[in-house]
Amino acid sequence: MVGPSSQEFGTKLAKRMGLPLLAVTTTEFPDGEIKYKFDEKLDGLQVLLVQSTYPPADRHYMQLFLASHHMSQEGAKVHAVIPYLGYARQGKAFLPGEIVSLGIIAHLLRSVGVQRVSTVDMHSAEGLALFSMPVYSVSAIPGLAQYVRTQVKLDDPVAIAPDAGSVRRTEAFASLYGAKVIKLKKNRDRVTGRIKMEADKLPVKGKDCVIVDDVITTGGTVAASTELLKKSGARKVVSACVHAVLLGETYDKLIKAGVDEIIGTNTVPSRVSKVDATEPMAAYLRTIIAEK
Ligand code: R5P
């Protein structure tokens, strides 16, 4: 079933895998509440429910919960394919008293009958441990590296990890690209959310740089990294991220900060969805189907 937030992704995924689309009529009340009418028998079906939970995350989760609960009640086995898994950044309590939102999301998914979850580049690998059902995160990093290598004109680029959490991904990107990695030290004020980079200069004079990250939301991380790179003499700065959430004016803010190009995938539909993440997802799903 192609959920309302993932029309393009879900249709592409089904086509790539040669799967039929479930007949569902979706209507929306004037207040934004959604209503589904399932137009075929669900008993005994194995359904991939494709629904990304980018902002508004709560609404997109609710749309997923309603569909999953109904389908599982009617006897279908539901495998949720959630290209961008919202709340994944709150996979632990960073300050005393904070809640582990991702753990609650995992619990809710189970309670509405989801039996398996697949996603793309989940924020942190530790988050996977919060799920009590099989969960897997495929990576779109090879696709991003391939895109940058073939479509963006760069001269011997350096891969930039903007913070500790992005090092693993950036190293994977760099190894596919044959680039060196520079790790930045980012400090985020856990109360205000404000970002500070811990360096005055970096060894990037005259170099092309690719900042690799899982998600861009407000653009604070990429903007601060770009300003530091440009101040250090970088020639070009490209931002490659999996989930380009790009809230509000973020795209313009990044261009103003000196980013020459932003490259994202289609886990979140946006003006920078240049890489198709249905490819690694389909490859993974085929392995599960082959196991059965
Ligand atoms: C942080 O751990 C993430 O990997 C991203 O760097 C961060 O969430 C991006 O957020 P923003 O665009 O608001 O800086």
Side-chain angles (χ1 to χ4, degrees):
M1 173 189 167
V2 178
S5 69
S6 286
Q7 289 295 305
E8 186 251 324
F9 190 100
T11 311
K12 260 195 178 156
L13 184 68
K15 197 164 171 209
R16 208 179 258 287
M17 298 189 66
L19 298 174
L21 296 180
L22 195 71
V24 190
T25 311
T26 306
T27 44
E28 210 176 274
F29 291 105
D31 59 6
E33 291 176 1
I34 201 154
K35 182 172 80 174
Y36 296 115
K37 180 178 167 296
F38 285 82
D39 299 320
E40 58 187 279
K41 241 176 113 286
L42 296 159
D43 193 20
L45 287 187
Q46 304 216 14
V47 180
L48 293 175
L49 167 53
V50 188
Q51 170 83 348
S52 201
T53 53
Y54 53 85
D58 302 350
R59 174 176 162 77
H60 290 149
Y61 268 119
M62 183 54 80
Q63 293 171 341
L64 192 163
F65 295 155
L66 293 176
S68 174
H69 188 266
H70 175 76
M71 291 191 289
S72 74
Q73 290 284 301
E74 291 297 312
K77 267 194 162 177
V78 180
H79 175 164
V81 176
I82 311 177
Y84 173 65
L85 203 139
Y87 285 99
R89 283 183 296 171
Q90 193 67 24
K92 62 178 180 188
F94 295 93
L95 293 175
E98 282 186 358
I99 65 167
V100 183
S101 312
L102 182 61
I104 298 170
I105 293 290
H107 174 74
L108 289 170
L109 287 167
R110 171 144 223 138
S111 71
V112 294
V114 171
Q115 296 193 12
R116 187 185 269 269
V117 174
S118 298
T119 184
V120 183
D121 287 282
M122 166 102 102
H123 178 64
S124 79
E126 296 87 70
L128 298 172
L130 297 169
F131 289 74
S132 59
M133 76 270 272
V135 56
Y136 192 79
S137 175
V138 308
S139 184
I141 292 293
L144 284 169
Q146 166 78 357
Y147 183 92
V148 173
R149 193 167 49 205
T150 57
Q151 309 293 322
V152 186
K153 279 204 173 75
L154 296 176
D155 184 21
D156 189 20
V158 181
I160 309 291
D163 55 26
S166 63
V167 169
R168 198 178 40 84
R169 267 184 203 99
T170 308
E171 286 176 343
F173 179 95
S175 70
L176 293 159
Y177 200 99
K180 282 209 181 87
V181 175
I182 293 181
K183 300 171 193 171
L184 307 189
K185 282 197 179 147
K186 176 177 91 177
N187 288 319
R188 189 188 284 275
D189 184 314
R190 289 280 165 208
V191 179
T192 62
R194 211 163 291 139
I195 280 166
K196 210 170 165 271
M197 289 296 175
E198 250 186 56
D200 288 334
K201 256 196 158 184
L202 298 168
V204 294
K205 197 166 183 343
K207 294 204 176 293
D208 289 344
C209 302
V210 184
I211 304 170
V212 183
D213 212 347
D214 60 329
V215 55
I216 300 176
T217 43
T218 66
T221 301
V222 173
S225 308
T226 304
E227 278 156 15
L228 178 58
L229 290 165
K230 288 263 161 129
K231 208 172 77 187
S232 307
R235 196 176 76 102
K236 253 188 182 179
V237 175
V238 169
S239 161
C241 76
V242 179
H243 311 294
V245 173
L246 298 175
L247 294 175
E249 306 301 310
T250 296
Y251 180 89
D252 295 334
K253 167 175 157 181
L254 293 181
I255 299 299
K256 220 167 143 194
V259 180
D260 294 284
E261 182 169 352
I262 306 164
I263 300 151
T265 78
N266 54 355
T267 58
V268 179
S270 82
R271 64 197 287 184
V272 302
S273 296
K274 300 173 185 175
V275 172
D276 185 3
T278 65
E279 195 182 327
M281 182 56 80
Y284 167 66
L285 295 173
R286 277 193 213 104
T287 65
I288 304 187
I289 293 169
E291 271 171 20
K292 286 186 180 158

